Amino acid sequence: MMGSRLEGRHALITGGGTGIGAAAAALLAGAGAKLSLLGRRIEPLQAVAESYSGTSIQCDVTDSRRIVAAYEEARAANGPIELLVVNAGIAESAPFHKMTRDSWDRIVAVNLTAAFDCAQAAIGDLLESENGRLVFVASVASLRGVPYAAHYAASKHGLLGLMRSLAAEYAKTNLTVNAVCPGYVDTPMTDQSVARVSEITGRSEEQSRGAITAMNASGRLVDPEAIGNVIATLCLPLSRDINGAAITIDGGTSA
């Protein structure tokens, strides 16, 4: 559908081995982009990268020095970073009165602080590009409160604040900064949420999955490919006037 409108452009995706990251990789590669995929687990990264002649780089995004080194590896393989998809994230759940400071720190470190580091490490390249694109993968939790996930919602609210601030700061440049805000998606992260709900409530996994799926107004989990399609669209040169947007993809739950 997108032809070769991103032909030869270098797209770097964090958390690129599974779920939304892998789906975005497929759509961006299909539009002609060169891929660098970063993540903690090298095996799934390699599997996705090899499918699209991309580059896989092991990187823990909570290590800012490793981010800098990983980006240098990506540049050596594919040139300056022109499209950056900040997708790496984690989720946990607990009642607030039982939530630990370690859990809070872990969620904020991955979902917010690492996003800052990942964006800052590429900002020079992005601003020099004729059509620089920065896309954060946020969440509907960026837009509303989430019971039993105060730390997750806080981190995702912060991510949206970061996005909007960068969009305003660089509005007169060739860089656009946007976010996608998915509801519950058919990904390994949702599988982990199902397992947590099942463990906490004593429900079967089938019942737990049904309860989570029902939180989307559509009554189904969002397809990662649909999110990848929106990400790829935001990366097109023609999307230059979409800036500071938080695009909700949740089957109508937020309508």
Side-chain angles (χ1 to χ4, degrees):
M1 291 292 289
M2 295 188 184
S4 57
R5 284 183 280 178
L6 296 176
E7 188 67 41
R9 303 193 66 203
H10 179 193
L12 187 149
I13 305 172
T14 68
T18 59
I20 294 171
L27 271 295
L28 289 167
K34 298 180 290 185
L35 298 180
S36 293
L37 306 180
L38 274 61
R40 289 179 300 170
R41 296 180 296 129
I42 194 64
E43 292 82 5
L45 288 173
Q46 288 174 332
V48 176
E50 288 170 4
S51 297
Y52 307 110
S53 301
T55 303
S56 55
I57 302 171
Q58 193 167 33
C59 178
D60 181 346
V61 294
T62 63
D63 183 343
S64 59
R65 288 177 297 182
R66 178 59 192 142
I67 291 171
V68 172
Y71 279 28
E72 284 304 314
E73 292 178 44
R75 291 185 184 99
N78 296 309
I81 300 163
E82 298 178 88
L83 316 170
L84 177 62
V85 180
V86 179
N87 169 65
I90 60 172
E92 296 178 8
S93 57
F96 182 72
H97 64 282
K98 292 185 178 180
M99 195 172 287
T100 66
R101 177 59 187 270
D102 284 346
S103 181
W104 170 276
D105 288 345
R106 184 164 53 249
I107 290 288
V108 171
V110 176
N111 293 353
L112 184 54
T113 304
F116 167 87
D117 288 334
C118 286
Q120 195 172 65
I123 196 66
D125 285 0
L126 294 172
L127 288 171
E128 288 179 6
S129 172
E130 188 174 329
N131 288 288
R133 298 289 184 264
L134 171 53
V135 182
F136 292 104
V137 177
S139 168
V140 291
S142 300
L143 305 168
R144 60 175 184 255
V146 183
Y148 307 107
H151 46 7
Y152 180 78
S155 71
K156 291 297 186 176
H157 273 67
L159 187 60
L160 215 56
L162 174 62
M163 178 277 289
R164 287 170 170 156
S165 298
L166 297 183
E169 185 168 340
Y170 298 116
K172 295 188 184 302
T173 73
N174 290 324
L175 171 64
T176 65
V177 188
N178 295 288
V180 294
C181 298
Y184 286 94
V185 188
D186 191 6
T187 64
M189 181 179 287
T190 296
D191 293 340
Q192 294 165 10
S193 296
V194 168
R196 285 196 301 272
V197 169
S198 183
E199 181 181 353
I200 292 169
T201 65
R203 298 176 181 175
S204 68
E205 289 212 358
E206 183 178 355
Q207 291 171 323
S208 299
R209 184 173 295 277
I212 286 175
T213 301
M215 293 181 186
N216 289 343
S218 61
R220 62 179 180 273
L221 296 175
V222 178
D223 187 338
E225 188 174 356
I227 301 166
N229 182 62
V230 175
I231 291 171
T233 300
L234 289 170
C235 288
L236 294 175
L238 191 59
S239 297
R240 60 185 174 273
D241 292 316
I242 305 173
N243 187 45
I247 300 175
T248 305
I249 312 168
D250 66 354
T253 307
S254 301

